[in-house]
Structure formats: structure tokens, C-alpha cells
Amino acid sequence: AQECQNLEVERQRRLERIKQKQSQLQELILQQIAFKNLVQRNRQAEQQANRPPPPNSIIHLPFIIVNTSKKTVIDCSISNDKFEYLFNFDNMFEIHDDIEVLKRMGMACGLEVGKCSAEDLKVARNLVPKALEPYVIEMAKGPISNVYITGG
Amino acid sequence: SGNLTPNSFTYRINNSPSKEFSDINRMIRQGCV
Amino acid sequence: REIADKLIDLKAELDDLALREDELDQQRGWGQQSIKNVTDDSNNSPMAYVKHDDLCGAFKDETLLAIRAPIGTQLEVPRPEDPINGQRKCQIRLKSSSGPIDVLLVNKD
């Protein structure tokens, strides 16, 4: 009975680790799909417009975004060499990375929320290595919560 | 790396996991409510 | 008898989970390598950008600060202090040791 208990503890620990690794893998897949979609979109747009967008109208990856209400007063101090910044906000703010922005732009085909159309799924599957395709199919049905065994 | 000391969070750009941002955002939300 | 059966089942399941974990480690390795190949590809990096309109669409009616900083730049967020005379103060400190930091204010208006 003692050995059973020990194995049960080890089982829970392993399940926890697998779930964590699974969500890290899902994040990697989303990142890859979003990045590739963004590059494809920009490339097509530039070909159609026959020129790149004005440099002061774009922001290159990687970046982070701080978003706050329009009413927020932001007080900013900058060192002369621009190595240090201090921002004071009189209201709350949020911080997000560029991948979160790409997801909100729809670049991850809705996989991040498990709402992916058949058309988008076809696009997404072509953007990841073959070995990870089964994952994308699962993610399209909804966030993978339990221990998911790929066919491979 | 994120280190939740009693009074601040530190994030290292392109090094810390992006999940840290949700912890920071939660701390700000709670602090501002 | 019952405990003996349970032991056998648990051992079998732990073997399955070990296999699954190894497979996940391998898949994460592929995923990381694949992303590195894509982001390091010199054909892709000139195309890896968002437009201001994309940002304003992603965060409607908000004021945005877009921050580009060298890898390793420290971003520190102190816990907000209690409001003084109803005035709230939330802070962000950015400190780079290897190059200048660029911050852009992006606002629909």
C-alpha cells in the first residue's frame, strides 16, 4: 500500500510536468504560426503596394507593449544616453509581448482560443513542422488540457 | 527572471518567459483596484 | 489482490507517462529550433513588423507605449503604492546595460 501511495505521488508529479511542457509546446506552435503568418501578410502587402510601408508607420519585432486608458497621465523621465527610462502612470496599465499582439491581430488563426475554421486549420498546419501537425489539429478543437498522446 | 519580492517584479527582455507579464499585470490590477 | 493489481496499473501508466514526457521534450526541441530558423532567416526579419494601425486595432481606444530594447534589458514594476490624496501611482523602470532603449507613443488620435 505504501508503494502504491509513492507511485501515485510520482504519477501526479509527472502529469503536472507533462501539462506544463504541453502548454510550453503549444505556445511555441502559436508563436511560429503567428510569426510566419505576419511575414506572409507583410510580404503580400508590399508586393501589392509595390513598396514597403513608411518606416515611421511600423514597429519591428521584437518589442513589448504597455497599454493603458487614454485618460491616463504618463510622466516619463529619460537618461541622456537613453539607457534608462522611468514611467509614472496615474492609472493602471498592462504589459504584453509581441506574440500577444500578433494573437490579438488574428495571426495565430484562433488556435490560442481553440476556435479555428477548417480553412485556417489548413493554413496553420502548413506553417509547422510535419511532426507537430497532430498537435495543431488537437489545438484547433480547443486548449489541450489532459495528457494528449500524439499518434506518432 | 521574475522575482516577486515584497514590492516589485523584475522582467528581463527576451530572457524571462512571457508568462511573467500576466503575473505583473495581475499585481498592477490588484494594486490599482 | 486489489493493491497488487493497482501497483501493476500504476507502473504501466508511469511508463506511458515517461514515454509521453520524452516525446514532449523532443517536440519542444523541434519547436524551438523551428522558430529559431524562421526568426533568424534573413528573408523574414525585414518582414517581421506590425503597423501602428495593427496595434491600435489590437488595443482599441487605448494609449500604447511600444518598447524596443536590447536583450537582457531590465524592466522593473514596483507594486503600486496606496493612493496619496486620491492620486494613484503605478511605475515602470527600464534599465539597459548594452544599448539605448526606444520607446514610441502610439495613439489613434
Side-chain angles (χ1 to χ4, degrees), chain A residues 1 3-4 7-8 10-11 14-15 17-18 21-22 24-25 27-29 31-32 35-36 38-39 41-43 46 52-53 56-71 74 81-96 100-102 104-105 129 131-132 135 147-150 152, chain C residues 3 6-7 10-11 13-18 20-21 23-25 27-32 34-35 38-39 43-55 57-59 61-69 73 75 77 87-109:
Chain A
E3 192 184 352
C4 245
L7 289 184
E8 187 54 48
E10 173 55 19
R11 175 179 172 276
R14 214 165 275 194
L15 278 170
R17 269 206 315 268
I18 284 175
K21 290 183 177 179
Q22 220 152 238
Q24 284 165 4
L25 179 60
E27 195 54 34
L28 283 172
I29 290 172
Q31 198 171 332
Q32 169 141 9
F35 184 89
K36 283 186 163 180
L38 177 76
V39 166
R41 180 203 75 163
N42 290 340
R43 187 167 281 129
E46 289 198 14
N56 62 355
S57 71
I58 60 175
I59 294 160
H60 273 275
L61 274 62
F63 60 82
I64 58 176
I65 283 286
V66 177
N67 63 290
T68 183
S69 153
K70 263 196 167 134
K71 300 187 190 75
I74 305 173
D81 57 6
K82 290 178 68 178
F83 275 45
E84 282 190 67
Y85 283 68
L86 176 63
F87 295 101
N88 282 310
F89 299 74
D90 71 347
N91 201 342
M92 63 182 277
F93 57 77
E94 287 181 343
I95 307 181
H96 298 284
E100 172 61 26
V101 173
L102 298 191
R104 290 188 186 209
M105 289 165 58
L132 298 180
Y135 244 90
V147 179
Y148 166 71
I149 309 286
T150 54
Chain C
I3 284 185
K6 192 163 164 43
L7 266 180
L10 273 171
K11 283 177 180 165
E13 187 175 354
L14 281 173
D15 291 345
D16 277 351
L17 292 176
R20 179 72 199 104
E21 195 166 1
E23 189 185 36
L24 268 171
D25 289 338
Q27 288 170 337
R28 280 192 316 162
W30 291 336
Q32 272 145 0
S34 189
I35 281 184
V38 169
T39 49
N43 291 321
N44 289 334
S45 20
M47 293 292 156
Y49 59 78
V50 297
K51 296 180 290 189
H52 293 178
D53 291 350
D54 294 325
L55 289 179
F59 297 93
D61 289 337
E62 297 228 300
T63 291
L64 308 171
L65 296 176
I67 300 170
R68 300 197 74 236
T73 295
L75 180 147
V77 180
Q87 185 67 27
R88 185 178 289 134
K89 191 172 106 177
C90 303
Q91 210 172 63
I92 294 178
R93 294 188 201 117
L94 285 170
K95 191 174 175 58
S96 159
S97 52
S98 56
I101 299 166
D102 285 325
V103 178
L104 190 71
L105 176 65
V106 180
N107 190 319
K108 192 78 185 160
D109 305 339

